[in-house]
Amino acid sequence: MPNSFAVTARSQADPDAVFAALTHAATWPSWSPIDSADVEDGDPGRQQRVGDTRIFRTGRNVSRERIVELVPGRRFVYDNLGGPFRSYRGTVELAPAAGGGTDITWSATFEPKLPLSGGFWRWYLTRFMRGMADGLAAYAG
């Protein structure tokens, strides 16, 4: 059975600035708990495109994520490839905030490989992604 979570944050930056941070893997270690970021067959400093696979290292953990949808200034969608999940699709929605800035909603739907572990992963991912969304909001402006 699929599990899900969603967290929100607000940035003072406009949606295009937030989107720019999301689509440049090289910025992620600056605003998240991720230690390093790379792009398979690419440059983490350039803007990523649909189909790019990014490699993130946090401590001993390594995750691979493929970008599956980009809507400039509005949406960033990725699939986690492997790890503890049978499936994992994350979405970052950006919307102009009332009074200026950007409302960021980071959500995902996932199915863990280990039965009955969904509650743990929902708790863990909600905490982790709240930090990601807050860090992105502050970094972008």
Side-chain angles (χ1 to χ4, degrees):
M1 174 176 210
N3 293 271
S4 63
F5 71 86
V7 297
T8 60
R10 179 168 287 176
S11 177
Q12 297 303 311
D14 65 38
D16 290 333
V18 177
F19 188 80
L22 276 170
T23 56
H24 286 84
T27 70
W28 287 53
S30 299
W31 53 263
S32 75
I34 291 169
D35 295 327
S36 69
D38 206 353
V39 176
E40 284 183 3
D41 303 321
D43 176 1
R46 73 157 170 78
Q47 185 171 12
Q48 268 72 75
R49 299 179 290 244
V50 170
D52 283 351
T53 298
R54 301 165 313 146
I55 304 163
F56 295 120
R57 289 176 179 77
T58 306
R60 296 183 319 181
N61 296 317
V62 177
S63 65
R64 293 176 65 240
E65 298 175 350
R66 180 167 295 125
I67 298 172
V68 296
E69 181 183 356
L70 293 174
V71 179
R74 293 191 43 223
R75 185 178 307 113
F76 177 90
V77 183
Y78 62 96
D79 288 340
N80 184 291
L81 308 174
F85 306 106
R86 289 186 208 287
S87 64
Y88 181 107
R89 174 154 291 179
T91 301
V92 183
E93 296 279 353
L94 308 175
T102 303
D103 287 328
I104 302 166
T105 301
W106 199 311
S107 64
T109 302
F110 62 94
E111 186 176 348
K113 289 178 181 174
L114 185 63
L116 305 176
S117 65
F120 165 77
W121 284 111
R122 193 169 40 257
W123 169 81
Y124 175 82
L125 290 167
T126 298
R127 284 185 64 228
F128 189 84
M129 295 308 185
R130 185 174 318 283
M132 298 282 285
D134 289 344
L136 173 61
Y139 177 86

